[in-house]
Amino acid sequence: MTTAAPTPTDYLRANAWVESDHPDVVRLGTELRAEHPDDVDFARASFEWVRDEVAHSYDVQDPRVTLSATAVLRERVGLCYAKSVLYAAVLRSQGVPAALGYQRLRSSSAGFVLHGLVSVHLDGAWHRQDPRGNKPGVGAQFSIGTESLVYRVDESLGERDYRTLYDEPAPEVVAALTGTSDLLVCQLPAELAQP
């Protein structure tokens, strides 16, 4: 997590999770960039690739645990957190700043649950994106105008948008996912310690 006066360049570095310098991630980024040289078009194409080519674990009832960009790319499955990590890594691999972000949402079965997002720095501003994936009733779309997230936060229900920009997955997410071997029975985090 970057805390003191972050700049877009703080969200270009590779790390253990957002492996933007890994050859497989760079290869995908390079292929998408070759077809979409403009940053906005590249960010949209990368979003659609991750949204459509990586299945959401719950949607397909897949218990495999992924979080690092290379694991998500290799297995082609992951939760919102994992899909966001891959999306951020692909963007960073081609020089587009990308940060991870979160929402606290009401869950019908578990009280609250964290939901993972990506903030992309384009045209001088941050734009939140949700590469979660589509299913009936869920429409994840790329947008740099009006925000088009899958879930709208209802503060009256105790939900919230965390506005902190993370350069790697939040510690609560890492702890939950590295502490399980079956994603479908994993206790996902309900909130973040940071604002």
Side-chain angles (χ1 to χ4, degrees), residues 33-83:
R33 178 63 99 174
E35 296 175 17
H36 308 279
D38 174 76
D39 281 353
V40 173
D41 291 340
F42 167 67
R44 177 181 287 109
S46 300
F47 171 90
E48 291 172 354
W49 194 95
V50 172
R51 180 194 66 192
D52 300 342
E53 299 297 326
V54 177
H56 189 279
S57 301
Y58 285 161
D59 293 351
V60 296
Q61 290 295 289
D62 191 321
R64 289 178 289 169
V65 180
T66 60
L67 183 56
S68 70
T70 55
V72 178
L73 184 57
R74 180 182 62 249
E75 302 298 331
R76 300 286 176 97
V77 68
L79 290 177
C80 56
Y81 319 119
K83 293 180 74 157

Side-chain angles (χ1 to χ4, degrees), residues 87-188:
Y87 181 41
V90 171
L91 292 173
R92 290 182 191 182
S93 80
Q94 301 300 305
V96 177
L100 302 173
Y102 300 93
Q103 294 174 312
R104 179 181 189 231
L105 301 173
R106 169 90 42 204
S107 170
S108 58
S109 61
F112 291 97
V113 67
L114 282 183
H115 177 60
L117 306 169
V118 176
S119 289
V120 183
H121 197 267
L122 295 166
D123 296 338
W126 290 101
H127 305 276
R128 293 193 305 168
Q129 309 297 327
D130 188 347
R132 181 230 180 272
N134 292 334
K135 66 177 186 175
V138 174
Q141 302 301 319
F142 179 88
S143 174
I144 63 165
T146 303
E147 198 167 68
S148 180
L149 301 179
V150 172
Y151 304 107
R152 289 189 172 273
V153 165
D154 184 343
E155 291 180 357
S156 71
L157 298 175
E159 296 179 338
R160 68 180 292 192
D161 278 316
Y162 292 96
R163 294 299 181 159
T164 300
L165 298 177
Y166 289 78
D167 62 348
E168 60 185 24
E172 295 86 347
V173 171
V174 173
L177 296 188
T178 59
T180 188
S181 60
D182 185 338
L183 199 56
L184 300 179
V185 298
C186 174
Q187 180 65 43
L188 298 177

